[in-house]
Amino acid sequence: MTAFRLDNGDVAWHTTVPEGSSVAQAPRLTGNTVIGAFATTKNGSGTYADRHGISVVAMEADTGKTLWTREIATDSVSDDTAGTAVPHVVGADARHVLVASYEQGFSETPPLSALLDTRTGRVIWTDTDFKGVDLEESVAVGIRDDGDLAGKSTSDGRQQWSRDLRLGEIRTMDPGPGLTFADGTAAGGSLLIDAATGTTRLNSGDTSLLDCHYDGWNTTICAGADGSGNAVVWAVDVRTSHVLWRLPDPSANRLAPEITSAWHGVVYAQADQSMTLDTRTGKDLRTNTGPISPTMANDGYGLVYDDSDRTIDVYRAAGRSVSD
């Protein structure tokens, strides 16, 4: 795990996880704590097989100082399928960390999800029939082996609700606080679900929303395709789940741009060139922001990831100096 300084690209700190045995997914940041999850393998000898596990590590974001490390056993026998799932941190806040390890699609390897205490690393509960997909303040949301979407209490792991969405293989994401996104191959639309109760807050009908970008305030911007396969963009209020605006808008001769990210009232997008929109109104803000649009943004910087070159470029926000 490596941390870089945004202002100059220097390495702030670097650490290696002992016995780490697979490529890890990106760690998560909550407050000033970075938390990562890694697959580990302890080699066996003689008649003793390899032992697979998950190592969860919490560090200070500024210094890389280790705050705690927790080992979670996943299986005891090494075979063709054991240990191939890549663990990841589903979500983290000031109180809880949700870690999940499973393979995408059909797999004979059972999933594992674990909820830990953010401050101490104490394991609150584990579940071997639960693919964790979203963490909220009081509920962890995941998919059961029978395909049902379910919510488990973060305090004691008790199941709070369960729904058979009949969506085929469910595709999920976190579209913003209080909401869980679910989309599948057997239904026409996508759902925004209340994470605490499991009830549907928004059904997109014949529109399939493929990706959502929460702006950190009160709006999530979801992009996808309508029933005819044409690109669409929806802006949704995360508190009320009301659709604020949609693109395209034929009456105004407006097209749906490609959405790359959203942050604090601003949507970053690509149309004929990079541009920005207002998250609450959909109004064009700037239509000539340069050749690229950030895939991640904060108040001071924009980050662009190049899939083909596998490189990251960091840009300073307009109007900011090096001293900022």
Side-chain angles (χ1 to χ4, degrees):
M1 191 189 305
T2 305
F4 296 90
R5 301 193 183 281
L6 287 174
D7 56 354
N8 57 21
D10 289 347
V11 174
W13 52 266
H14 173 82
T15 188
T16 300
V17 176
E19 299 170 334
S21 59
S22 71
V23 176
Q25 294 194 23
R28 299 294 291 265
L29 174 69
T30 178
N32 192 43
T33 303
V34 177
I35 304 173
F38 307 86
T40 57
T41 299
K42 293 183 179 180
N43 295 326
S45 62
T47 60
Y48 291 92
D50 294 349
R51 296 186 65 90
H52 300 289
I54 298 172
S55 181
V56 186
V57 184
M59 304 177 203
E60 285 186 351
D62 293 336
T63 66
K65 174 186 176 182
T66 299
L67 301 175
W68 52 260
T69 300
R70 187 67 57 206
E71 301 295 330
I72 303 172
T74 57
D75 60 70
S76 58
V77 179
S78 179
D79 54 32
D80 291 338
T81 60
T84 57
V86 178
H88 61 284
V89 179
V90 175
D93 57 30
R95 298 180 60 190
H96 301 114
V97 180
L98 179 61
V99 174
S101 179
Y102 52 82
E103 294 178 83
Q104 296 295 337
F106 174 78
S107 173
E108 295 182 356
T109 304
L112 173 70
S113 293
L115 190 78
L116 294 80
D117 185 297
T118 303
R119 295 156 295 186
T120 65
R122 177 179 65 89
V123 177
I124 300 171
W125 52 256
T126 60
D127 193 328
T128 56
D129 180 25
F130 190 74
K131 297 181 179 181
V133 298
D134 187 16
L135 174 67
E136 301 294 337
E137 182 177 355
S138 62
V139 176
V141 180
I143 304 170
R144 293 290 185 194
D145 188 54
D146 60 8
D148 285 0
L149 193 69
K152 288 169 59 74
S153 169
T154 53
S155 61
D156 56 15
R158 292 184 182 181
Q159 185 167 293
Q160 303 297 298
W161 56 265
S162 178
R163 287 187 62 181
D164 179 4
L165 298 178
R166 302 186 182 278
L167 294 180
E169 183 179 333
I170 303 175
R171 188 176 59 84
T172 56
M173 72 178 78
D174 180 7
L179 296 174
T180 294
F181 173 96
D183 183 76
T185 58
S190 307
L191 303 177
L192 292 182
I193 295 171
D194 189 304
T197 65
T199 57
T200 298
R201 296 268 297 272
L202 176 68
N203 187 332
S204 66
D206 65 351
T207 296
S208 181
L209 301 174
L210 304 177
D211 198 13
C212 293
H213 302 268
Y214 173 52
D215 80 338
W217 280 349
N218 49 27
T219 310
T220 189
I221 309 298
C222 298
D226 62 19
S228 300
N230 299 314
V232 297
V233 176
W234 289 22
V236 180
D237 188 301
V238 297
R239 297 166 300 182
T240 66
S241 297
H242 292 160
V243 179
L244 302 173
W245 50 268
R246 295 180 175 90
L247 288 176
D249 181 359
S251 64
N253 197 31
R254 299 185 68 201
L255 305 174
E258 176 189 353
I259 306 301
T260 62
S261 61
W263 182 251
H264 285 187
V266 178
V267 182
Y268 296 91
Q270 293 269 173
D272 56 339
Q273 56 187 340
S274 297
M275 62 175 300
T276 55
L277 301 87
D278 186 286
T279 58
R280 302 299 289 181
T281 66
K283 177 183 177 182
D284 289 4
L285 295 177
R286 294 180 59 191
T287 59
N288 58 346
T289 59
I292 54 172
S293 186
T295 50
M296 293 182 69
N298 62 20
D299 290 336
Y301 299 87
L303 181 150
V304 178
Y305 178 70
D306 189 317
D307 285 307
S308 58
D309 293 337
R310 302 187 69 180
T311 58
I312 295 173
D313 294 323
V314 177
Y315 296 82
R316 187 169 284 106
R320 286 179 62 89
S321 65
V322 174
S323 61
D324 290 338

